[in-house]
Amino acid sequence: MEDLCAQNPQTHFVVDESYANLCPSTESLIQTSMPPNLIVVRSLTKDFGLPGLRAGYLVATPVIAQAINQLRMPWSVNALAQAAIGFIMTHYKDLLPDTAAILKESQRVQNILSKLPQLQVTPSDCNYFLVKTKVGDAADLKRYLLQNHGFLIRDAANFRSLSPQHFRLAVLQPDQNNQLISAIQSWIGQVC
């Protein structure tokens, strides 16, 4: 990235590190001296498992940060998110999730689902992973899981180069993951 930034000084590069804290193999681009055209985006929402809160931050040079600050909406973060951010920052170390346990659980769920012949799991070293169903499509699975079991998966059909059969899962607590696995198996049984 440093070479790209140096070779393209008129281009601003935005790197999304939203899941960096949950992917130990990731090397962060945040440094004490960052290239003047690099912007790194991080998410408290992902770090602390707060879906829907939409709280994050960016790291850039002071010049870029000031320019972006002048363009942002005056109320870009609601009062609930502001209160959550304040609480998180005050208790940051106490609230950090046990990344090792989350990743171990992710591997467990990936292993179980990869043994189902109707699914193709793309291995991941993170708390989320991509799956392709070989029966039905992700939109049908999403609808079934939400209506019948209260689970919401990410239909990945609109991701570039993926198909309507692709979906993304993020691991939950082990008992919830077991329920999700059973629900997916139930859907497969209905579709086949």
Side-chain angles (χ1 to χ4, degrees):
M1 271 315 295
E2 289 176 0
D3 289 344
L4 273 174
C5 288
Q7 294 166 9
N8 301 282
Q10 300 305 314
T11 302
H12 286 92
F13 293 89
V14 179
V15 177
D16 184 348
E17 290 189 1
S18 294
Y19 284 96
N21 287 336
L22 295 167
C23 300
S25 60
T26 300
E27 185 176 324
S28 177
L29 295 174
I30 297 174
Q31 307 167 24
T32 51
S33 67
M34 291 179 51
N37 54 339
L38 177 63
I39 302 166
V40 178
V41 180
R42 285 288 187 97
S43 170
L44 295 173
T45 303
K46 303 299 187 271
D47 289 351
F48 295 95
L50 302 168
L53 193 61
R54 303 286 182 204
Y57 59 96
L58 66 83
V59 178
T61 62
V63 171
I64 292 176
Q66 288 172 0
I68 290 172
N69 191 41
Q70 290 176 353
L71 297 173
R72 74 175 175 82
M73 298 179 345
W75 299 103
S76 59
V77 180
N78 66 39
L80 178 61
Q82 289 177 9
I85 292 167
F87 185 82
I88 288 169
M89 292 295 103
T90 303
H91 303 90
Y92 191 83
K93 289 185 179 182
D94 296 330
L95 294 173
L96 274 175
D98 182 350
T99 305
I102 292 169
L103 298 179
K104 184 178 177 183
E105 180 63 8
S106 179
Q107 293 303 312
R108 183 186 77 84
V109 174
Q110 290 178 58
N111 289 336
I112 292 170
L113 292 178
S114 67
K115 291 177 183 169
L116 298 175
Q118 300 87 352
L119 300 178
Q120 177 184 344
V121 176
T122 301
S124 170
D125 291 333
C126 297
N127 69 320
Y128 66 96
F129 53 95
L130 187 66
V131 183
K132 180 179 181 182
T133 178
K134 298 175 186 176
V135 296
D137 64 32
D140 289 338
L141 174 59
K142 178 181 177 178
R143 201 169 15 263
Y144 171 83
L145 291 174
L146 187 58
Q147 291 174 352
N148 297 294
H149 300 279
F151 288 109
L152 182 62
I153 61 170
R154 176 62 162 97
D155 179 351
N158 64 344
F159 290 15
R160 187 177 298 163
S161 78
L162 297 183
S163 72
Q165 287 72 38
H166 284 92
F167 60 97
R168 186 179 70 195
L169 292 179
V171 296
L172 305 166
Q173 295 298 317
D175 59 331
Q176 295 169 308
N177 292 326
N178 292 337
Q179 293 171 19
L180 176 60
I181 291 165
S182 293
I184 291 172
Q185 290 171 323
S186 175
W187 176 79
I188 290 170
Q190 289 183 12
V191 175
C192 290

